[in-house]
Amino acid sequence: LVIPAYNRMSCALEEREILKLITLNHKVVAGVKDWKYEMRRSAQAIQPFLYLGLSSAARDLDFLRREGVTMLLVIRNTMTAAVRLLSGDKVATELGIQSAAVDVAGNQELIAAFPRACKIINDHLIFRFREGMANNTINPASVATQGKVLVFCESGNERSAAVVAAYLMNMFGLDLISAIQYVQSQRFCVAFDDGLKNLLLNYEELL
């Protein structure tokens, strides 16, 4: 199917407008006031539509139902993917939600994976928005609740945290330091080592 250029442009413009409504230009939300050590075992909302956590949070059915998560996005090593040790597919099927994966052989591949992960998140949010419009369930005062994505890895502190930081840089124009500080304000246990910081710095230059 070949879509005329003007139709593709119109579709792209529409998607950008939808994303503006969904994100509502949320650059800052209240940080976690009283971080407790045990909170590292759960997931935290980085944006109203974007959560960050560890693999066990992606298996917590009560949490996922309570928060209204509609997609599980795992950031994992290709070797882990090959033996199916880390996946959201089973839980997603049980809950009737979507799942996706971004597989990398090592952290160096993350810089190429950042745009792919951003697209997966945005495509899902746009899909849920359009679905809500079609079903007449959109709440204009809380558009973001139509779709919520949980990004996770083994610990919820490294690869998935880097992807979430990259998403904020991409969508909200945050610089490296602001993105890292913002993510850390919501999930205090994240760990950006020098390698991840350099990858995000290179991504900032690309953006």
Side-chain angles (χ1 to χ4, degrees):
L1 176 63
V2 178
I3 303 176
Y6 65 87
N7 282 346
R8 292 199 300 269
M9 184 178 297
S10 175
C11 183
L13 287 171
E14 180 189 1
E15 289 183 353
R16 283 201 294 271
E17 292 305 312
I18 289 173
L19 286 172
K20 284 181 182 179
L21 288 172
I22 293 169
T23 60
L24 299 174
N25 290 322
H26 287 300
K27 284 192 177 181
V28 177
V29 295
V32 178
K33 294 181 180 178
D34 298 310
W35 177 266
K36 296 179 176 60
Y37 183 70
E38 59 269 20
M39 292 173 68
R40 77 194 191 284
R41 301 192 186 98
S42 59
Q44 283 76 40
I46 307 302
Q47 291 286 306
F49 54 86
L50 186 65
Y51 287 69
L52 171 62
L54 68 173
S55 57
S56 61
R59 299 191 299 270
D60 187 341
L61 300 183
D62 289 339
F63 167 79
L64 297 173
R65 289 192 184 103
R66 183 174 66 251
E67 296 299 317
V69 172
T70 56
M71 171 177 265
L72 301 175
L73 173 58
V74 60
I75 315 300
R76 62 191 178 185
N77 185 279
T78 50
M79 293 180 63
T80 302
V83 293
R84 299 182 179 180
L85 287 178
L86 192 63
S87 171
D89 294 346
K90 183 177 179 181
V91 171
T93 298
E94 184 173 348
L95 293 178
I97 63 177
Q98 292 186 314
S99 64
V102 172
D103 300 333
V104 293
N107 284 355
Q108 287 300 319
E109 291 189 4
L110 278 172
I111 193 164
F114 289 152
R116 188 162 77 251
C118 290
K119 186 176 188 307
I120 289 171
I121 294 169
N122 286 340
D123 283 352
H124 176 72
L125 296 176
I126 290 168
F127 168 79
R128 292 287 301 184
F129 179 90
R130 287 175 170 160
E131 185 178 58
M133 289 291 289
N135 297 332
N136 199 29
T137 59
I138 286 288
N139 176 3
S142 186
V143 174
T145 59
Q146 293 300 312
K148 292 185 177 182
V149 180
L150 168 60
V151 182
F152 70 98
C153 61
E154 290 91 339
S155 67
N157 297 332
E158 298 172 3
R159 285 179 180 154
S160 57
V163 165
V164 168
Y167 182 86
L168 297 177
M169 293 166 69
N170 189 346
M171 295 300 296
F172 299 110
L174 297 184
D175 59 32
L176 166 67
I177 295 175
S178 298
I180 289 176
Q181 289 177 341
Y182 181 85
V183 173
Q184 193 169 44
S185 74
Q186 303 302 108
R187 182 170 172 81
F188 190 72
C189 57
V190 293
F192 293 93
D193 62 20
D194 288 342
L196 288 177
K197 288 177 182 176
N198 285 331
L199 285 175
L200 287 167
L201 180 59
N202 290 335
Y203 186 58
E204 179 182 355
E205 292 173 355
L206 289 173
L207 289 173

